[in-house]
Amino acid sequence: MIRVTITRTRGSSPREAGATMIVTTDKISGTIGGGQLEYMAIDRARQMLVRGEDAATMDIPLGPEIGQCCGGRVELALTRISEMPAPPEYPQVLIFGAGHVGRALARALALLPLRPILIDQRAEELSLARGETVLTPLPEAEIRSAPSGTSYVIVTHDHALDFLLTSEALRRMDAPYIGMIGSQTKLAQFRRFARAQNLDTDRLTCPIGAGQSRDKRPEIIAALTAAEIITRLTQTVSPFQKYPCDS
């Protein structure tokens, strides 16, 4: 198989340097941006497989010459590899509360380069979920043991539990996103609660998924919250540059 990697971009381009795809004789995994750029890279990679070549480079202008209008230029490195790279380790998002919003959010995040994990103390709610779940009587322990860079969304059925888990998440200074479901009234109550513990609430997003729509259906809240999370994560380079073959 051939690994195709964008090594340099100049001007406007559909993907960033580091974006990667894998080409075999009959399959493709990942994308470097689609369009004629990608078709040309696939064609060259398959020529390499037929000819037994180990490496090649391409320098492609993204203009009228190839039927694209980005206007930039992309340099590619094509390298023969013997086995598929390991799947990327996506950043975790711990979702506390497997009710309607929690389950909808887990489904929405599963479509993104993230690893959503739904956590609850209630087996009956988790049984309705798809994807990765954790049943535990001590959900706060999951926050304490989570790897650096994990995000946290608190959407449980119990305000007291929400406050406990959100406080625990705020003690994690390595969390790119911390969100709690609620209202402005609930946020004001939590701020008083947090002040007593000397916690800074400036890093907290509450209500989650607010500001774009007044629609409170779980799927709408989930979609808007997923957008908040991925926007926050992609505002910094580090969470995603480690995962160039992510699509």
Side-chain angles (χ1 to χ4, degrees):
M1 63 193 77
I2 303 296
R3 180 174 55 210
V4 182
T5 304
I6 297 179
T7 56
R8 184 184 179 195
T9 64
R10 284 169 282 172
S12 178
S13 63
R15 289 294 304 271
E16 68 288 346
T20 300
M21 71 176 180
I22 304 297
V23 181
T24 69
T25 56
D26 59 351
K27 294 180 181 179
I28 302 164
S29 174
T31 179
I32 57 169
Q36 286 299 316
L37 164 66
E38 191 157 293
Y39 289 135
M40 292 172 68
I42 293 168
D43 183 60
R44 183 69 182 90
R46 287 179 173 158
Q47 289 177 19
M48 291 174 63
L49 290 172
V50 170
R51 297 171 184 172
E53 297 176 76
D54 290 330
T57 60
M58 300 178 74
D59 185 353
I60 303 174
L62 305 176
E65 302 98 319
I66 66 167
Q68 291 198 206
C69 57
C70 294
R73 199 172 190 96
V74 170
E75 295 179 19
L76 306 176
L78 295 82
T79 308
R80 180 184 292 270
I81 58 176
S82 58
E83 56 185 60
M84 186 69 75
E89 296 180 6
Y90 293 138
Q92 286 187 173
V93 181
L94 301 189
I95 306 166
F96 294 89
H100 294 293
V101 173
R103 296 197 303 269
L105 181 58
R107 292 194 299 270
L109 294 178
L111 301 174
L112 300 171
L114 298 170
R115 180 189 171 192
I117 303 174
L118 198 56
I119 301 167
D120 208 302
Q121 300 158 301
R122 303 166 296 168
E124 65 276 13
E125 295 294 334
L126 286 175
S127 69
L128 302 174
R130 297 197 298 265
E132 192 171 354
T133 63
V134 172
L135 175 65
T136 175
L138 295 171
E140 63 272 23
E142 299 299 317
I143 298 174
R144 295 168 190 158
S145 63
S148 178
T150 297
S151 295
Y152 306 92
V153 186
I154 293 87
V155 289
T156 82
H157 61 294
D158 184 318
H159 278 208
L161 182 57
D162 282 351
F163 283 17
L164 169 67
L165 295 173
T166 303
S167 298
E168 199 68 51
L170 287 171
R171 293 187 178 95
R172 294 290 305 250
M173 302 309 295
D174 56 1
Y177 179 93
I178 300 169
M180 179 175 67
I181 198 167
S183 62
Q184 291 299 326
T185 300
K186 182 177 178 181
L187 176 59
Q189 292 173 345
F190 178 75
R191 282 176 172 159
R192 290 193 294 270
F193 176 83
R195 269 198 303 271
Q197 303 178 65
N198 295 315
L199 290 173
D200 181 3
T201 59
D202 288 347
R203 296 163 54 229
L204 174 64
T205 299
C206 180
I208 57 171
Q212 303 299 319
S213 173
R214 300 179 69 178
D215 194 318
K216 295 183 179 180
R217 283 175 290 179
E219 293 79 9
I220 303 299
I221 296 172
L224 295 173
T225 303
E228 282 181 353
I229 294 168
I230 203 68
T231 298
R232 184 74 54 80
L233 286 168
T234 52
Q235 284 173 342
T236 58
V237 173
S238 56
F240 288 94
Q241 276 210 330
K242 293 186 292 183
Y243 318 114
C245 190
D246 58 10
S247 53

